[in-house]
Amino acid sequence: DVKVTQSSRYLVKRTGEKVFLECVQDMDHENMFWYRQDPGLGLRLIYFSYDVKMKEKGDIPEGYSVSREKKERFSLILESASTNQTSMYLCASSLRGPVYEQYFGPGTRLTVT
Amino acid sequence: GQQVMQIPQYQHVQEGEDFTTYCNSSTTLSNIQWYKQRPGGHPVFLIQLVKSGEVKKQKRLTFQFGEAKKNSSLHITATQTTDVGTYFCAGKGGGTSYGKLTFGQGTILTVHP
Protein backbone atom coordinates (compact mmCIF):
# COMPACT_ATOMS: atom_id res chain seq x y z
CA ASP A 1 0.00 0.00 0.00
CA VAL A 2 1.09 3.52 -0.76
CA LYS A 3 1.77 5.50 2.34
CA VAL A 4 1.95 9.27 2.51
CA THR A 5 2.82 10.71 5.90
CA GLN A 6 2.83 14.27 7.13
CA SER A 7 4.95 15.54 9.99
CA SER A 8 2.12 16.86 12.18
CA ARG A 9 -1.64 16.43 12.43
CA TYR A 10 -2.10 19.69 14.30
CA LEU A 11 0.13 22.75 14.45
CA VAL A 12 -0.30 26.12 16.12
CA LYS A 13 2.01 28.96 15.12
CA ARG A 14 2.20 32.68 15.69
CA THR A 15 1.90 35.36 13.03
CA GLY A 16 5.28 36.02 11.42
CA GLU A 17 6.80 32.65 12.28
CA LYS A 18 8.46 30.52 9.63
CA VAL A 19 6.60 27.23 9.30
CA PHE A 20 7.76 23.96 7.76
CA LEU A 21 5.34 21.21 6.77
CA GLU A 22 6.93 17.93 5.79
CA CYS A 23 5.54 15.17 3.60
CA VAL A 24 7.07 11.77 2.92
CA GLN A 25 5.88 9.05 0.51
CA ASP A 26 7.20 5.52 0.33
CA MET A 27 6.19 4.42 -3.18
CA ASP A 28 8.84 6.06 -5.34
CA HIS A 29 6.31 8.45 -6.90
CA GLU A 30 7.66 11.15 -9.18
CA ASN A 31 4.87 13.66 -8.51
CA MET A 32 4.15 15.30 -5.20
CA PHE A 33 1.58 17.99 -4.44
CA TRP A 34 0.61 20.42 -1.70
CA TYR A 35 -3.02 21.51 -1.36
CA ARG A 36 -4.93 23.55 1.12
CA GLN A 37 -8.51 22.69 1.95
CA ASP A 38 -10.98 25.30 3.15
CA PRO A 39 -14.75 24.91 3.61
CA GLY A 40 -16.64 25.62 0.40
CA LEU A 41 -13.46 26.00 -1.65
CA GLY A 42 -12.45 22.39 -2.13
CA LEU A 43 -8.80 21.50 -2.63
CA ARG A 44 -6.65 24.24 -4.04
CA LEU A 45 -3.20 23.44 -5.39
CA ILE A 46 -0.36 25.44 -3.87
CA TYR A 47 2.69 23.86 -5.52
CA PHE A 48 3.63 20.60 -7.10
CA SER A 49 6.85 18.86 -7.98
CA TYR A 50 7.41 16.35 -10.79
CA ASP A 51 10.99 15.46 -9.94
CA VAL A 52 13.74 16.18 -7.43
CA LYS A 53 14.51 19.91 -7.32
CA MET A 54 11.73 20.59 -9.86
CA LYS A 55 8.63 22.54 -8.89
CA GLU A 56 5.75 24.37 -10.47
CA LYS A 57 3.36 26.90 -9.01
CA GLY A 58 -0.21 25.85 -8.51
CA ASP A 59 -3.23 28.09 -8.26
CA ILE A 60 -2.41 29.82 -4.95
CA PRO A 61 1.39 29.94 -4.46
CA GLU A 62 1.57 33.38 -2.86
CA GLY A 63 3.06 33.28 0.63
CA TYR A 64 4.40 29.74 0.18
CA SER A 65 7.55 28.07 -1.08
CA VAL A 66 8.54 24.43 -1.44
CA SER A 67 11.60 22.24 -1.38
CA ARG A 68 12.24 18.81 -2.85
CA GLU A 69 15.77 17.65 -2.23
CA LYS A 70 14.93 13.94 -2.18
CA LYS A 71 12.40 12.04 -4.23
CA GLU A 72 10.40 10.84 -1.25
CA ARG A 73 10.18 14.15 0.60
CA PHE A 74 8.35 17.37 -0.26
CA SER A 75 8.33 20.31 2.11
CA LEU A 76 5.99 23.28 2.22
CA ILE A 77 7.35 26.47 3.76
CA LEU A 78 5.42 29.45 5.01
CA GLU A 79 8.08 32.14 5.13
CA SER A 80 6.09 34.42 7.45
CA ALA A 81 2.85 32.86 8.62
CA SER A 82 -0.30 34.96 8.53
CA THR A 83 -3.75 34.32 9.98
CA ASN A 84 -5.23 33.83 6.49
CA GLN A 85 -2.99 30.78 6.14
CA THR A 86 -4.93 28.99 8.86
CA SER A 87 -6.18 25.93 7.01
CA MET A 88 -5.94 22.18 6.47
CA TYR A 89 -2.88 21.31 4.39
CA LEU A 90 -2.89 18.07 2.41
CA CYS A 91 0.05 16.46 0.70
CA ALA A 92 -0.39 13.98 -2.15
CA SER A 93 1.76 11.92 -4.46
CA SER A 94 1.31 10.07 -7.72
CA LEU A 95 3.19 8.41 -10.50
CA ARG A 96 4.08 10.73 -13.36
CA GLY A 97 1.61 10.93 -16.22
CA PRO A 98 -1.97 11.99 -16.81
CA VAL A 99 -3.80 8.84 -15.79
CA TYR A 100 -2.57 8.07 -12.32
CA GLU A 101 -4.53 8.72 -9.15
CA GLN A 102 -3.22 10.80 -6.28
CA TYR A 103 -2.62 9.36 -2.84
CA PHE A 104 -3.17 11.74 0.04
CA GLY A 105 -1.61 12.07 3.45
CA PRO A 106 -3.71 12.53 6.60
CA GLY A 107 -3.38 16.33 6.54
CA THR A 108 -2.00 18.98 8.87
CA ARG A 109 -4.43 21.40 10.47
CA LEU A 110 -2.47 24.62 10.87
CA THR A 111 -3.71 27.44 13.06
CA VAL A 112 -1.93 30.78 12.90
CA THR A 113 -2.73 33.10 15.81
CA GLY B 1 -7.27 29.14 -15.92
CA GLN B 2 -9.23 25.95 -15.80
CA GLN B 3 -12.16 25.92 -13.40
CA VAL B 4 -14.16 22.96 -12.16
CA MET B 5 -17.52 23.70 -10.58
CA GLN B 6 -19.36 21.12 -8.53
CA ILE B 7 -22.97 21.18 -7.35
CA PRO B 8 -24.67 20.94 -4.99
CA GLN B 9 -22.40 22.04 -2.15
CA TYR B 10 -24.52 20.13 0.39
CA GLN B 11 -26.99 17.28 0.11
CA HIS B 12 -29.01 15.78 2.96
CA VAL B 13 -30.86 12.56 2.22
CA GLN B 14 -32.75 9.89 4.10
CA GLU B 15 -31.15 6.49 4.04
CA GLY B 16 -32.38 4.64 0.98
CA GLU B 17 -32.80 7.75 -1.17
CA ASP B 18 -30.67 8.36 -4.24
CA PHE B 19 -27.97 11.04 -4.50
CA THR B 20 -26.31 12.78 -7.44
CA THR B 21 -23.49 15.30 -7.64
CA TYR B 22 -22.55 17.14 -10.81
CA CYS B 23 -19.24 18.47 -12.03
CA ASN B 24 -18.73 21.03 -14.83
CA SER B 25 -15.47 22.23 -16.31
CA SER B 26 -14.81 25.50 -18.12
CA THR B 27 -12.56 23.63 -20.57
CA THR B 28 -12.45 20.21 -22.19
CA LEU B 29 -10.89 17.60 -19.93
CA SER B 30 -8.61 14.76 -20.91
CA ASN B 31 -9.83 12.74 -17.94
CA ILE B 32 -11.74 13.14 -14.71
CA GLN B 33 -11.25 11.47 -11.34
CA TRP B 34 -13.56 11.14 -8.36
CA TYR B 35 -12.48 11.07 -4.73
CA LYS B 36 -14.29 10.49 -1.44
CA GLN B 37 -13.29 12.07 1.85
CA ARG B 38 -14.85 10.62 4.99
CA PRO B 39 -15.39 13.02 7.93
CA GLY B 40 -12.02 13.62 9.58
CA GLY B 41 -10.22 11.72 6.83
CA HIS B 42 -8.34 12.45 3.66
CA PRO B 43 -9.48 12.14 0.04
CA VAL B 44 -9.38 8.63 -1.35
CA PHE B 45 -9.47 7.84 -5.06
CA LEU B 46 -12.66 6.20 -6.32
CA ILE B 47 -12.44 6.06 -10.09
CA GLN B 48 -11.17 7.66 -13.30
CA LEU B 49 -13.06 8.30 -16.54
CA VAL B 50 -11.18 8.92 -19.77
CA LYS B 51 -13.46 8.36 -22.76
CA SER B 52 -16.22 10.61 -24.05
CA GLY B 53 -19.61 9.31 -22.86
CA GLU B 54 -17.99 6.74 -20.56
CA VAL B 55 -20.11 5.16 -17.82
CA LYS B 56 -18.61 3.11 -15.00
CA LYS B 57 -20.25 1.41 -12.06
CA GLN B 58 -18.99 0.42 -8.64
CA LYS B 59 -21.78 -1.42 -6.83
CA ARG B 60 -24.33 1.33 -6.03
CA LEU B 61 -22.18 4.12 -7.52
CA THR B 62 -22.50 5.15 -11.19
CA PHE B 63 -20.05 7.56 -12.77
CA GLN B 64 -20.57 9.30 -16.10
CA PHE B 65 -18.35 11.43 -18.32
CA GLY B 66 -20.12 13.75 -20.73
CA GLU B 67 -19.92 13.46 -24.50
CA ALA B 68 -18.09 16.78 -24.73
CA LYS B 69 -15.76 15.79 -21.87
CA LYS B 70 -16.67 18.93 -19.96
CA ASN B 71 -18.99 17.46 -17.37
CA SER B 72 -19.36 14.44 -15.16
CA SER B 73 -21.70 13.05 -12.54
CA LEU B 74 -21.69 10.61 -9.66
CA HIS B 75 -24.95 8.90 -8.76
CA ILE B 76 -25.45 6.77 -5.66
CA THR B 77 -28.47 4.48 -5.58
CA ALA B 78 -30.16 3.75 -2.25
CA THR B 79 -27.74 5.62 0.00
CA GLN B 80 -26.43 4.07 3.19
CA THR B 81 -24.94 5.72 6.25
CA THR B 82 -21.53 4.52 5.10
CA ASP B 83 -21.84 6.85 2.08
CA VAL B 84 -21.48 9.92 4.32
CA GLY B 85 -18.61 12.18 3.32
CA THR B 86 -17.46 14.75 0.80
CA TYR B 87 -17.25 13.76 -2.85
CA PHE B 88 -14.81 15.60 -5.10
CA CYS B 89 -14.37 15.55 -8.81
CA ALA B 90 -10.96 16.44 -10.20
CA GLY B 91 -10.23 17.14 -13.83
CA LYS B 92 -7.13 17.19 -15.92
CA GLY B 93 -7.02 19.60 -18.82
CA GLY B 94 -5.40 18.62 -22.07
CA GLY B 95 -2.72 21.26 -21.79
CA THR B 96 -1.57 20.59 -18.26
CA SER B 97 1.34 18.36 -17.52
CA TYR B 98 2.60 15.82 -15.05
CA GLY B 99 -0.76 14.80 -13.61
CA LYS B 100 -1.85 18.14 -12.20
CA LEU B 101 -5.56 18.07 -11.33
CA THR B 102 -8.11 20.82 -10.72
CA PHE B 103 -10.54 19.87 -7.96
CA GLY B 104 -14.16 20.89 -7.66
CA GLN B 105 -15.44 22.39 -4.43
CA GLY B 106 -16.89 19.08 -3.32
CA THR B 107 -20.39 17.94 -2.33
CA ILE B 108 -20.93 17.15 1.34
CA LEU B 109 -23.37 14.25 1.70
CA THR B 110 -25.17 13.52 4.94
CA VAL B 111 -27.40 10.48 5.26
CA HIS B 112 -30.08 10.34 7.95
CA PRO B 113 -30.87 6.81 9.17
Side-chain angles (χ1 to χ4, degrees):
Chain A
D1 276 355
V2 175
K3 194 165 185 182
V4 180
T5 57
Q6 296 182 228
S7 48
S8 307
R9 287 303 305 268
Y10 300 94
L11 208 52
V12 180
K13 295 292 182 181
R14 293 189 179 276
T15 301
E17 278 193 88
K18 191 168 186 176
V19 182
F20 293 87
L21 302 182
E22 298 274 311
C23 176
V24 178
Q25 51 94 5
D26 67 357
M27 283 302 290
D28 205 35
H29 284 172
E30 293 86 1
N31 291 344
M32 295 189 75
F33 307 84
W34 274 107
Y35 295 92
R36 64 176 283 177
Q37 182 175 18
D38 301 288
L41 298 178
L43 300 172
R44 293 181 293 167
L45 182 65
I46 304 171
Y47 267 97
F48 73 102
S49 169
Y50 50 90
D51 205 344
V52 175
K53 298 190 186 296
M54 305 304 289
K55 62 186 178 184
E56 281 198 22
K57 293 180 180 179
D59 300 315
I60 51 164
E62 296 79 18
Y64 303 94
S65 61
V66 290
S67 172
R68 192 161 179 208
E69 297 297 318
K70 293 185 177 181
K71 190 175 185 179
E72 68 271 18
R73 189 179 298 269
F74 192 34
S75 302
L76 180 69
I77 304 153
L78 287 67
E79 295 289 342
S80 177
S82 64
T83 54
N84 62 15
Q85 292 179 309
T86 291
S87 186
M88 172 66 82
Y89 290 87
L90 288 162
C91 174
S93 72
S94 76
L95 291 168
R96 186 181 294 164
V99 295
Y100 295 106
E101 69 265 34
Q102 295 185 11
Y103 295 84
F104 285 82
T108 296
R109 180 158 303 276
L110 172 67
T111 302
V112 182
T113 61
Chain B
Q2 182 181 324
Q3 290 190 325
V4 175
M5 306 298 292
Q6 194 173 349
I7 56 169
Q9 187 173 354
Y10 301 94
Q11 187 77 60
H12 309 278
V13 300
Q14 288 293 129
E15 191 172 19
E17 291 181 339
D18 292 356
F19 158 75
T20 305
T21 174
Y22 300 90
C23 190
N24 290 286
S25 171
S26 58
T27 59
T28 302
L29 301 170
S30 62
N31 57 38
I32 194 158
Q33 298 179 359
W34 286 90
Y35 291 78
K36 177 183 178 180
Q37 183 177 24
R38 294 182 186 275
H42 56 273
V44 174
F45 174 79
L46 293 176
I47 207 162
Q48 176 168 257
L49 304 170
V50 179
K51 299 176 184 174
S52 170
E54 189 170 14
V55 178
K56 287 188 176 180
K57 292 191 176 185
Q58 286 181 348
K59 297 183 180 178
R60 295 177 294 104
L61 278 61
T62 302
F63 303 84
Q64 293 188 321
F65 201 9
E67 294 289 342
K69 300 184 75 173
K70 294 182 73 173
N71 56 70
S72 182
S73 64
L74 158 60
H75 179 83
I76 302 178
T77 303
T79 54
Q80 300 175 358
T81 54
T82 53
D83 295 324
V84 163
T86 304
Y87 292 85
F88 292 100
C89 62
K92 183 188 176 299
T96 56
S97 60
Y98 304 114
K100 175 186 168 186
L101 295 171
T102 300
F103 280 79
Q105 299 92 328
T107 296
I108 299 172
L109 173 65
T110 56
V111 180
H112 301 285

